[in-house]
Amino acid sequence: MKRRRRAAHTLRGRLMALLLVPLLTVLGLSVVADYRTALGLANATYDRALQGSAIALSSRLEGDADDAPLELDLPPAAEAILRTDPEDTVYYAVVEASGRLIAGDRSLAQATSLRPAPGTAQFEDVRMDGRPLRVVGLTHASVNAGFQATVLVAETTRKRDHATAAILKAVIWPNLLLLTTTLVLVYFGVRLGLRPLDALGEQIDQRGSEDFSPVPEGAVPGEARPLVAAMNRLLGRLEAAGRAQQAFLSNAAHQLRTPLAG
């Protein structure tokens, strides 16, 4: 226990502890910043693909508000391609401005209330049947025919979750390697930087009990020079006190020898 306490109170231990906290803080901030940046780029890529599907669906809308109801011209082969995804389940719905479901999944139309302005796309995270979905809404309006409908395309978030896990691993491991390398370099740098203090301690430890000569300050680091100067002043006072004590003992011995000789 004593050895552990001494090691904890060494200058090396204090320097390492003081450096470890900022390094861990920087690591945490770096991981969060890198993770958010990479995740934002990945989500933006998936969102663009989702929006592309919505634009493709809106281009298949046909109808005339005066003569016939609005319909979605989507062949079964095209719908199969739209719904084909190796990881996620894809849903779509086309809803007229009056609320009538033109085509697609009614549950999706009921799960979201996205009704963006014409020509704009909006994204939303919803849950449907207990599963999280990423939804894009795109309102298509025809000036000539006079109809307006909202196209909704959604997908589950499995590939986004996999991308999130992969990004997190890719971000954490390089930062941990960087932190470990930095700590090793700092550790050996601290040991190398404090080596003159070790040499100074060995030099003082090898002195004899009657050696009160000043410690040379030439090779002492600037931070330790006040300590060495104070030590030299203490050695000077100890040497003066030793000489005074020796003179007092010599005088006392002389005073004692005179009566004894008489």
Side-chain angles (χ1 to χ4, degrees):
M1 291 297 293
K2 290 182 179 180
R3 289 183 178 179
R4 291 182 180 177
R5 289 179 181 177
R6 289 178 182 175
H9 291 288
T10 60
L11 189 57
R12 290 189 183 89
R14 292 189 62 185
L15 287 175
M16 291 300 297
L18 290 173
L19 289 171
L20 183 62
V21 174
L23 285 174
L24 289 177
T25 303
V26 171
L27 172 66
L29 293 176
S30 176
V31 168
V32 172
D34 293 345
Y35 174 73
R36 290 177 65 90
T37 301
L39 186 60
L41 293 174
N43 282 329
T45 302
Y46 291 129
D47 286 346
R48 282 195 296 270
L50 207 60
Q51 183 177 353
S53 300
I55 294 173
L57 277 180
S58 66
S59 66
R60 308 294 298 183
L61 284 171
E62 295 179 354
D64 192 328
D66 297 328
D67 300 333
L70 184 63
E71 299 294 339
L72 178 67
D73 181 20
L74 186 65
E79 182 176 358
I81 293 174
L82 174 66
R83 293 185 180 274
T84 299
D85 192 291
E87 293 186 71
D88 287 309
T89 304
V90 179
Y91 305 90
Y92 79 94
V94 181
V95 184
E96 204 171 12
S98 61
R100 181 180 71 91
L101 180 67
I102 299 172
D105 304 292
R106 185 175 300 276
S107 57
L108 175 60
Q110 295 173 349
T112 178
S113 59
L114 282 179
R115 297 297 184 269
T120 62
Q122 289 183 357
F123 294 88
E124 185 182 23
D125 294 314
V126 300
R127 296 189 71 86
M128 189 178 74
D129 299 330
R131 290 185 296 179
L133 297 180
R134 180 68 169 173
V135 186
V136 61
L138 180 65
T139 298
H140 177 75
S142 174
V143 178
N144 297 329
F147 64 79
Q148 181 174 317
T150 300
V151 178
L152 301 171
V153 180
E155 64 181 4
T156 53
T157 59
R158 282 191 290 270
K159 62 174 171 282
R160 295 173 186 258
D161 296 337
H162 294 162
T164 300
I167 290 171
L168 192 59
K169 291 179 182 178
V171 167
I172 285 180
W173 287 114
N175 281 277
L176 285 178
L177 179 61
L178 178 63
L179 175 65
T180 304
T181 305
T182 304
L183 286 178
V184 171
L185 293 176
V186 168
Y187 174 76
F188 285 104
V190 169
R191 287 181 60 90
L192 183 63
L194 295 179
R195 187 170 294 176
L197 295 181
D198 295 335
L200 178 62
E202 294 177 359
Q203 180 182 354
I204 295 175
D205 188 56
Q206 293 174 358
R207 282 175 169 249
S209 58
E210 297 180 356
D211 186 2
F212 295 103
S213 61
V215 178
E217 299 183 15
V220 177
E223 293 79 5
R225 286 185 180 178
L227 175 63
V228 174
M231 188 182 301
N232 287 335
R233 290 192 295 269
L234 176 61
L235 291 174
R237 289 194 293 269
L238 289 175
E239 185 178 11
R243 287 197 299 267
Q245 184 181 18
Q246 187 65 33
F248 171 77
L249 292 177
S250 299
N251 188 25
H254 176 71
Q255 297 295 333
L256 288 175
R257 282 198 301 268
T258 301
L260 289 176

